[in-house]
Amino acid sequence: MQGSTRGMLRVGAAAVTCVAMVVGLAGCGGSQGSGQDPDASTQFDPIVVVSSINQWGILAKELGGDQVKVTSILGSTNVDAHDFEPRTSDIATISKARILVANGAGYDDWATKAVTGDTTIVSAADAVGASDGDNPHLWFSKDARKAMARELSDAFAKTKPDEGRYFSDRLEDWSKSEAGLESTMDDFAERHRNATYAATESVAHYLMSDLKVRDVTPEQYTQASLNDGEPAPADVQSLQSLIEGHKAGLVVNNPQEASDMTNLVTGTAHKSDVPVVDVSEQVPEGQKTLVDWMTSLISEMDKALDESAELPQPQSSQSPSK
């Protein structure tokens, strides 16, 4: 009986060894299929990136790929970004960032003030030389997007030097998509020469400038909105008058800055059959990249200006441009 028992034990041990080998081979097979080391789950250490706003957070993720873990603090179109107050948990999240992505130009001072330790700050305002008082909606500018893409890629490569080629390849891919967007912009500008627009708030200033659409919003009205103030009644009336006179091909409205005054302006546009295009500050749901978002907005504006061109134009608006 003892010999028989020893034989059974040997058979059992062999079976266990066989099962272990099969499991081990299956594990290796899975790792080879994913192109990763079997211990990658414990060895992989993505860069912790926190972005104050999702406009730049979405770009950081596109450029960093699986080498970064990106968290955006402000990402809802239902929040007034200019009055945003971070929660204690937001401050704690920022304090853990290896890289903080900020907009700057007075838009998100709450984020940079929360930085501690050796966190690297990548700022859009610094990248293009903007300062407090300038229009802070920099993500709508092709120059700012390109400058930020380079700064982010460089910051990632410095943090993980061994992945430098990975980051440069992703930057190259992104640059191609941005170049395609700029081609779309050039086509738009060619199609809509001498186009004009008015705005309830200067959210899309840089985008409209890149599209070569002229802003006819009364200057004092624009300045008041930039300073987070209320335009004077006379300036609001001037804006309404030019809309009623079809001197603006479309009206750009920021739904995140809605008020009785902006509702009055958009109401005037609707009554005058002047198209209104809503442009939010934060990236809306359903848009995966900045390029996709810009392309979508350009498509809306293209349609709006086509509709506007079909409307009867006052004689004064048909004078030759200088």
mmCIF file of all heavy atoms in Angstrom, residues 200-237:
data_model
loop_
_atom_site.group_PDB
_atom_site.id
_atom_site.type_symbol
_atom_site.label_atom_id
_atom_site.label_comp_id
_atom_site.label_asym_id
_atom_site.label_seq_id
_atom_site.Cartn_x
_atom_site.Cartn_y
_atom_site.Cartn_z
ATOM 1 N N THR A 200 -21.869 87.262 -28.880
ATOM 2 C CA THR A 200 -22.366 87.629 -27.550
ATOM 3 C C THR A 200 -21.228 87.663 -26.543
ATOM 4 O O THR A 200 -21.314 88.340 -25.520
ATOM 5 C CB THR A 200 -23.420 86.613 -27.055
ATOM 6 O OG1 THR A 200 -22.820 85.316 -26.978
ATOM 7 C CG2 THR A 200 -24.612 86.559 -28.010
ATOM 8 N N GLU A 201 -20.160 86.932 -26.844
ATOM 9 C CA GLU A 201 -18.979 86.878 -25.988
ATOM 10 C C GLU A 201 -17.823 86.390 -26.858
ATOM 11 O O GLU A 201 -18.032 85.610 -27.780
ATOM 12 C CB GLU A 201 -19.228 85.924 -24.818
ATOM 13 C CG GLU A 201 -18.259 86.077 -23.661
ATOM 14 C CD GLU A 201 -17.255 84.934 -23.591
ATOM 15 O OE1 GLU A 201 -17.286 84.074 -24.492
ATOM 16 O OE2 GLU A 201 -16.453 84.914 -22.652
ATOM 17 N N SER A 202 -16.620 86.847 -26.604
ATOM 18 C CA SER A 202 -15.511 86.643 -27.546
ATOM 19 C C SER A 202 -14.862 85.271 -27.447
ATOM 20 O O SER A 202 -13.649 85.131 -27.571
ATOM 21 C CB SER A 202 -14.445 87.722 -27.320
ATOM 22 O OG SER A 202 -13.981 87.696 -25.981
ATOM 23 N N VAL A 203 -15.666 84.237 -27.236
ATOM 24 C CA VAL A 203 -15.133 82.890 -27.042
ATOM 25 C C VAL A 203 -14.401 82.378 -28.278
ATOM 26 O O VAL A 203 -13.351 81.733 -28.178
ATOM 27 C CB VAL A 203 -16.267 81.912 -26.639
ATOM 28 C CG1 VAL A 203 -17.330 81.824 -27.711
ATOM 29 C CG2 VAL A 203 -15.708 80.533 -26.315
ATOM 30 N N ALA A 204 -14.921 82.648 -29.472
ATOM 31 C CA ALA A 204 -14.357 82.060 -30.695
ATOM 32 C C ALA A 204 -13.502 83.049 -31.484
ATOM 33 O O ALA A 204 -13.279 82.853 -32.682
ATOM 34 C CB ALA A 204 -15.484 81.522 -31.583
ATOM 35 N N HIS A 205 -12.997 84.060 -30.815
ATOM 36 C CA HIS A 205 -12.229 85.106 -31.510
ATOM 37 C C HIS A 205 -11.093 84.533 -32.353
ATOM 38 O O HIS A 205 -10.931 84.887 -33.529
ATOM 39 C CB HIS A 205 -11.665 86.085 -30.485
ATOM 40 C CG HIS A 205 -10.633 87.012 -31.041
ATOM 41 N ND1 HIS A 205 -10.946 88.108 -31.832
ATOM 42 C CD2 HIS A 205 -9.269 86.992 -30.949
ATOM 43 C CE1 HIS A 205 -9.830 88.723 -32.197
ATOM 44 N NE2 HIS A 205 -8.804 88.077 -31.677
ATOM 45 N N TYR A 206 -10.287 83.640 -31.777
ATOM 46 C CA TYR A 206 -9.129 83.116 -32.499
ATOM 47 C C TYR A 206 -9.543 82.217 -33.659
ATOM 48 O O TYR A 206 -8.931 82.252 -34.733
ATOM 49 C CB TYR A 206 -8.212 82.342 -31.547
ATOM 50 C CG TYR A 206 -7.584 83.200 -30.476
ATOM 51 C CD1 TYR A 206 -7.895 82.999 -29.125
ATOM 52 C CD2 TYR A 206 -6.692 84.223 -30.795
ATOM 53 C CE1 TYR A 206 -7.324 83.781 -28.131
ATOM 54 C CE2 TYR A 206 -6.123 85.010 -29.808
ATOM 55 C CZ TYR A 206 -6.439 84.792 -28.479
ATOM 56 O OH TYR A 206 -5.876 85.578 -27.507
ATOM 57 N N LEU A 207 -10.577 81.431 -33.462
ATOM 58 C CA LEU A 207 -11.059 80.571 -34.539
ATOM 59 C C LEU A 207 -11.560 81.405 -35.707
ATOM 60 O O LEU A 207 -11.215 81.138 -36.864
ATOM 61 C CB LEU A 207 -12.175 79.656 -34.027
ATOM 62 C CG LEU A 207 -12.865 78.783 -35.082
ATOM 63 C CD1 LEU A 207 -11.875 77.848 -35.757
ATOM 64 C CD2 LEU A 207 -14.011 77.990 -34.443
ATOM 65 N N MET A 208 -12.339 82.425 -35.410
ATOM 66 C CA MET A 208 -12.883 83.265 -36.484
ATOM 67 C C MET A 208 -11.778 84.040 -37.194
ATOM 68 O O MET A 208 -11.836 84.261 -38.400
ATOM 69 C CB MET A 208 -13.934 84.218 -35.921
ATOM 70 C CG MET A 208 -15.079 83.532 -35.197
ATOM 71 S SD MET A 208 -15.862 82.211 -36.152
ATOM 72 C CE MET A 208 -16.927 83.154 -37.225
ATOM 73 N N SER A 209 -10.756 84.419 -36.450
ATOM 74 C CA SER A 209 -9.609 85.098 -37.059
ATOM 75 C C SER A 209 -8.873 84.158 -38.000
ATOM 76 O O SER A 209 -8.483 84.549 -39.113
ATOM 77 C CB SER A 209 -8.663 85.597 -35.958
ATOM 78 O OG SER A 209 -7.528 86.227 -36.520
ATOM 79 N N ASP A 210 -8.680 82.891 -37.571
ATOM 80 C CA ASP A 210 -8.026 81.910 -38.438
ATOM 81 C C ASP A 210 -8.850 81.632 -39.684
ATOM 82 O O ASP A 210 -8.304 81.301 -40.743
ATOM 83 C CB ASP A 210 -7.797 80.606 -37.669
ATOM 84 C CG ASP A 210 -6.694 80.718 -36.632
ATOM 85 O OD1 ASP A 210 -5.870 81.653 -36.736
ATOM 86 O OD2 ASP A 210 -6.655 79.874 -35.704
ATOM 87 N N LEU A 211 -10.174 81.777 -39.564
ATOM 88 C CA LEU A 211 -11.064 81.563 -40.709
ATOM 89 C C LEU A 211 -11.217 82.819 -41.567
ATOM 90 O O LEU A 211 -11.910 82.790 -42.589
ATOM 91 C CB LEU A 211 -12.447 81.115 -40.217
ATOM 92 C CG LEU A 211 -12.519 79.727 -39.569
ATOM 93 C CD1 LEU A 211 -13.891 79.506 -38.934
ATOM 94 C CD2 LEU A 211 -12.221 78.641 -40.595
ATOM 95 N N LYS A 212 -10.600 83.917 -41.091
ATOM 96 C CA LYS A 212 -10.642 85.200 -41.807
ATOM 97 C C LYS A 212 -12.061 85.759 -41.916
ATOM 98 O O LYS A 212 -12.442 86.367 -42.932
ATOM 99 C CB LYS A 212 -9.986 85.078 -43.186
ATOM 100 C CG LYS A 212 -8.508 84.706 -43.125
ATOM 101 C CD LYS A 212 -7.890 84.584 -44.507
ATOM 102 C CE LYS A 212 -6.386 84.379 -44.437
ATOM 103 N NZ LYS A 212 -5.968 83.212 -43.637
ATOM 104 N N VAL A 213 -12.839 85.544 -40.867
ATOM 105 C CA VAL A 213 -14.175 86.131 -40.782
ATOM 106 C C VAL A 213 -14.075 87.380 -39.904
ATOM 107 O O VAL A 213 -13.560 87.318 -38.786
ATOM 108 C CB VAL A 213 -15.189 85.137 -40.182
ATOM 109 C CG1 VAL A 213 -16.587 85.759 -40.150
ATOM 110 C CG2 VAL A 213 -15.208 83.845 -40.987
ATOM 111 N N ARG A 214 -14.568 88.506 -40.398
ATOM 112 C CA ARG A 214 -14.377 89.794 -39.723
ATOM 113 C C ARG A 214 -15.402 89.988 -38.604
ATOM 114 O O ARG A 214 -16.593 89.763 -38.781
ATOM 115 C CB ARG A 214 -14.483 90.933 -40.737
ATOM 116 C CG ARG A 214 -14.227 92.333 -40.162
ATOM 117 C CD ARG A 214 -13.975 93.330 -41.283
ATOM 118 N NE ARG A 214 -15.116 93.410 -42.181
ATOM 119 C CZ ARG A 214 -16.134 94.265 -42.045
ATOM 120 N NH1 ARG A 214 -16.154 95.111 -41.010
ATOM 121 N NH2 ARG A 214 -17.112 94.293 -42.930
ATOM 122 N N ASP A 215 -14.906 90.428 -37.455
ATOM 123 C CA ASP A 215 -15.753 90.679 -36.287
ATOM 124 C C ASP A 215 -16.319 92.097 -36.372
ATOM 125 O O ASP A 215 -15.568 93.073 -36.414
ATOM 126 C CB ASP A 215 -14.918 90.521 -35.012
ATOM 127 C CG ASP A 215 -15.745 90.617 -33.744
ATOM 128 O OD1 ASP A 215 -16.978 90.813 -33.841
ATOM 129 O OD2 ASP A 215 -15.158 90.486 -32.645
ATOM 130 N N VAL A 216 -17.653 92.220 -36.387
ATOM 131 C CA VAL A 216 -18.287 93.541 -36.451
ATOM 132 C C VAL A 216 -18.967 93.897 -35.134
ATOM 133 O O VAL A 216 -19.697 94.888 -35.054
ATOM 134 C CB VAL A 216 -19.316 93.602 -37.605
ATOM 135 C CG1 VAL A 216 -18.625 93.438 -38.954
ATOM 136 C CG2 VAL A 216 -20.416 92.545 -37.439
ATOM 137 N N THR A 217 -18.719 93.104 -34.085
ATOM 138 C CA THR A 217 -19.273 93.403 -32.763
ATOM 139 C C THR A 217 -18.752 94.755 -32.293
ATOM 140 O O THR A 217 -17.553 95.043 -32.430
ATOM 141 C CB THR A 217 -18.846 92.330 -31.740
ATOM 142 O OG1 THR A 217 -19.093 91.032 -32.283
ATOM 143 C CG2 THR A 217 -19.602 92.495 -30.440
ATOM 144 N N PRO A 218 -19.624 95.632 -31.756
ATOM 145 C CA PRO A 218 -19.148 96.928 -31.240
ATOM 146 C C PRO A 218 -17.979 96.746 -30.276
ATOM 147 O O PRO A 218 -18.028 95.882 -29.391
ATOM 148 C CB PRO A 218 -20.390 97.494 -30.540
ATOM 149 C CG PRO A 218 -21.544 96.888 -31.273
ATOM 150 C CD PRO A 218 -21.086 95.503 -31.629
ATOM 151 N N GLU A 219 -16.940 97.525 -30.472
ATOM 152 C CA GLU A 219 -15.695 97.334 -29.709
ATOM 153 C C GLU A 219 -15.906 97.434 -28.207
ATOM 154 O O GLU A 219 -15.337 96.650 -27.441
ATOM 155 C CB GLU A 219 -14.663 98.369 -30.166
ATOM 156 C CG GLU A 219 -13.304 98.178 -29.528
ATOM 157 C CD GLU A 219 -12.261 99.146 -30.066
ATOM 158 O OE1 GLU A 219 -12.526 99.809 -31.091
ATOM 159 O OE2 GLU A 219 -11.183 99.243 -29.445
ATOM 160 N N GLN A 220 -16.721 98.397 -27.767
ATOM 161 C CA GLN A 220 -16.909 98.565 -26.326
ATOM 162 C C GLN A 220 -17.699 97.395 -25.736
ATOM 163 O O GLN A 220 -17.487 97.024 -24.579
ATOM 164 C CB GLN A 220 -17.625 99.893 -26.041
ATOM 165 C CG GLN A 220 -16.828 101.092 -26.504
ATOM 166 C CD GLN A 220 -17.061 102.323 -25.648
ATOM 167 O OE1 GLN A 220 -17.947 102.355 -24.810
ATOM 168 N NE2 GLN A 220 -16.247 103.337 -25.880
ATOM 169 N N TYR A 221 -18.589 96.832 -26.516
ATOM 170 C CA TYR A 221 -19.318 95.642 -26.075
ATOM 171 C C TYR A 221 -18.323 94.495 -25.871
ATOM 172 O O TYR A 221 -18.353 93.807 -24.845
ATOM 173 C CB TYR A 221 -20.366 95.269 -27.122
ATOM 174 C CG TYR A 221 -21.144 94.012 -26.802
ATOM 175 C CD1 TYR A 221 -22.434 94.080 -26.293
ATOM 176 C CD2 TYR A 221 -20.587 92.747 -26.999
ATOM 177 C CE1 TYR A 221 -23.155 92.923 -25.985
ATOM 178 C CE2 TYR A 221 -21.292 91.589 -26.694
ATOM 179 C CZ TYR A 221 -22.570 91.686 -26.188
ATOM 180 O OH TYR A 221 -23.266 90.536 -25.885
ATOM 181 N N THR A 222 -17.440 94.284 -26.847
ATOM 182 C CA THR A 222 -16.448 93.212 -26.759
ATOM 183 C C THR A 222 -15.533 93.405 -25.556
ATOM 184 O O THR A 222 -15.234 92.450 -24.830
ATOM 185 C CB THR A 222 -15.599 93.170 -28.038
ATOM 186 O OG1 THR A 222 -16.446 92.900 -29.154
ATOM 187 C CG2 THR A 222 -14.534 92.098 -27.955
ATOM 188 N N GLN A 223 -15.085 94.635 -25.336
ATOM 189 C CA GLN A 223 -14.172 94.901 -24.238
ATOM 190 C C GLN A 223 -14.823 94.629 -22.896
ATOM 191 O O GLN A 223 -14.188 94.072 -21.977
ATOM 192 C CB GLN A 223 -13.689 96.356 -24.292
ATOM 193 C CG GLN A 223 -12.450 96.623 -23.449
ATOM 194 C CD GLN A 223 -11.270 95.747 -23.834
ATOM 195 O OE1 GLN A 223 -10.951 95.616 -25.011
ATOM 196 N NE2 GLN A 223 -10.625 95.138 -22.843
ATOM 197 N N ALA A 224 -16.092 94.954 -22.777
ATOM 198 C CA ALA A 224 -16.803 94.714 -21.521
ATOM 199 C C ALA A 224 -16.905 93.215 -21.237
ATOM 200 O O ALA A 224 -16.700 92.770 -20.102
ATOM 201 C CB ALA A 224 -18.195 95.332 -21.576
ATOM 202 N N SER A 225 -17.178 92.423 -22.273
ATOM 203 C CA SER A 225 -17.292 90.974 -22.070
ATOM 204 C C SER A 225 -15.935 90.359 -21.732
ATOM 205 O O SER A 225 -15.855 89.417 -20.944
ATOM 206 C CB SER A 225 -17.886 90.302 -23.310
ATOM 207 O OG SER A 225 -17.012 90.388 -24.419
ATOM 208 N N LEU A 226 -14.866 90.882 -22.315
ATOM 209 C CA LEU A 226 -13.532 90.383 -22.005
ATOM 210 C C LEU A 226 -13.153 90.664 -20.556
ATOM 211 O O LEU A 226 -12.413 89.903 -19.929
ATOM 212 C CB LEU A 226 -12.493 91.018 -22.939
ATOM 213 C CG LEU A 226 -12.252 90.329 -24.282
ATOM 214 C CD1 LEU A 226 -11.295 91.156 -25.128
ATOM 215 C CD2 LEU A 226 -11.705 88.921 -24.089
ATOM 216 N N ASN A 227 -13.663 91.770 -20.032
ATOM 217 C CA ASN A 227 -13.371 92.147 -18.652
ATOM 218 C C ASN A 227 -14.386 91.578 -17.668
ATOM 219 O O ASN A 227 -14.442 91.999 -16.517
ATOM 220 C CB ASN A 227 -13.337 93.672 -18.521
ATOM 221 C CG ASN A 227 -12.192 94.288 -19.303
ATOM 222 O OD1 ASN A 227 -11.160 93.654 -19.515
ATOM 223 N ND2 ASN A 227 -12.380 95.530 -19.759
ATOM 224 N N ASP A 228 -15.199 90.597 -18.157
ATOM 225 C CA ASP A 228 -16.231 89.972 -17.324
ATOM 226 C C ASP A 228 -17.218 90.990 -16.779
ATOM 227 O O ASP A 228 -17.769 90.825 -15.682
ATOM 228 C CB ASP A 228 -15.600 89.189 -16.153
ATOM 229 C CG ASP A 228 -14.790 88.004 -16.640
ATOM 230 O OD1 ASP A 228 -15.151 87.424 -17.676
ATOM 231 O OD2 ASP A 228 -13.786 87.665 -15.985
ATOM 232 N N GLY A 229 -17.462 92.040 -17.565
ATOM 233 C CA GLY A 229 -18.422 93.063 -17.165
ATOM 234 C C GLY A 229 -19.665 93.032 -18.033
ATOM 235 O O GLY A 229 -19.755 92.262 -18.998
ATOM 236 N N GLU A 230 -20.620 93.859 -17.693
ATOM 237 C CA GLU A 230 -21.855 93.963 -18.475
ATOM 238 C C GLU A 230 -21.727 95.120 -19.469
ATOM 239 O O GLU A 230 -21.418 96.243 -19.069
ATOM 240 C CB GLU A 230 -23.048 94.207 -17.549
ATOM 241 C CG GLU A 230 -23.536 92.971 -16.815
ATOM 242 C CD GLU A 230 -24.250 91.985 -17.734
ATOM 243 O OE1 GLU A 230 -24.826 92.427 -18.751
ATOM 244 O OE2 GLU A 230 -24.209 90.782 -17.436
ATOM 245 N N PRO A 231 -21.941 94.872 -20.753
ATOM 246 C CA PRO A 231 -21.897 95.961 -21.730
ATOM 247 C C PRO A 231 -22.960 97.012 -21.414
ATOM 248 O O PRO A 231 -24.027 96.683 -20.878
ATOM 249 C CB PRO A 231 -22.194 95.258 -23.061
ATOM 250 C CG PRO A 231 -21.844 93.820 -22.821
ATOM 251 C CD PRO A 231 -22.181 93.560 -21.390
ATOM 252 N N ALA A 232 -22.667 98.238 -21.766
ATOM 253 C CA ALA A 232 -23.626 99.314 -21.553
ATOM 254 C C ALA A 232 -24.844 99.097 -22.442
ATOM 255 O O ALA A 232 -24.737 98.526 -23.533
ATOM 256 C CB ALA A 232 -22.970 100.658 -21.864
ATOM 257 N N PRO A 233 -26.037 99.548 -21.997
ATOM 258 C CA PRO A 233 -27.247 99.383 -22.810
ATOM 259 C C PRO A 233 -27.088 99.921 -24.235
ATOM 260 O O PRO A 233 -27.595 99.309 -25.183
ATOM 261 C CB PRO A 233 -28.294 100.183 -22.027
ATOM 262 C CG PRO A 233 -27.836 100.092 -20.602
ATOM 263 C CD PRO A 233 -26.343 100.148 -20.679
ATOM 264 N N ALA A 234 -26.372 101.032 -24.376
ATOM 265 C CA ALA A 234 -26.183 101.611 -25.712
ATOM 266 C C ALA A 234 -25.376 100.669 -26.606
ATOM 267 O O ALA A 234 -25.645 100.566 -27.814
ATOM 268 C CB ALA A 234 -25.475 102.960 -25.600
ATOM 269 N N ASP A 235 -24.403 99.970 -26.021
ATOM 270 C CA ASP A 235 -23.589 99.036 -26.805
ATOM 271 C C ASP A 235 -24.410 97.806 -27.197
ATOM 272 O O ASP A 235 -24.244 97.265 -28.295
ATOM 273 C CB ASP A 235 -22.356 98.619 -26.006
ATOM 274 C CG ASP A 235 -21.428 99.784 -25.716
ATOM 275 O OD1 ASP A 235 -21.336 100.685 -26.586
ATOM 276 O OD2 ASP A 235 -20.813 99.807 -24.642
ATOM 277 N N VAL A 236 -25.286 97.370 -26.302
ATOM 278 C CA VAL A 236 -26.167 96.247 -26.622
ATOM 279 C C VAL A 236 -27.113 96.634 -27.751
ATOM 280 O O VAL A 236 -27.345 95.855 -28.692
ATOM 281 C CB VAL A 236 -26.968 95.801 -25.384
ATOM 282 C CG1 VAL A 236 -27.952 94.686 -25.755
ATOM 283 C CG2 VAL A 236 -26.040 95.327 -24.277
ATOM 284 N N GLN A 237 -27.630 97.852 -27.697
ATOM 285 C CA GLN A 237 -28.527 98.331 -28.750
ATOM 286 C C GLN A 237 -27.805 98.443 -30.089
ATOM 287 O O GLN A 237 -28.366 98.128 -31.143
ATOM 288 C CB GLN A 237 -29.123 99.680 -28.345
ATOM 289 C CG GLN A 237 -30.110 99.590 -27.190
ATOM 290 C CD GLN A 237 -30.563 100.949 -26.686
ATOM 291 O OE1 GLN A 237 -30.184 101.988 -27.220
ATOM 292 N NE2 GLN A 237 -31.367 100.943 -25.625
#
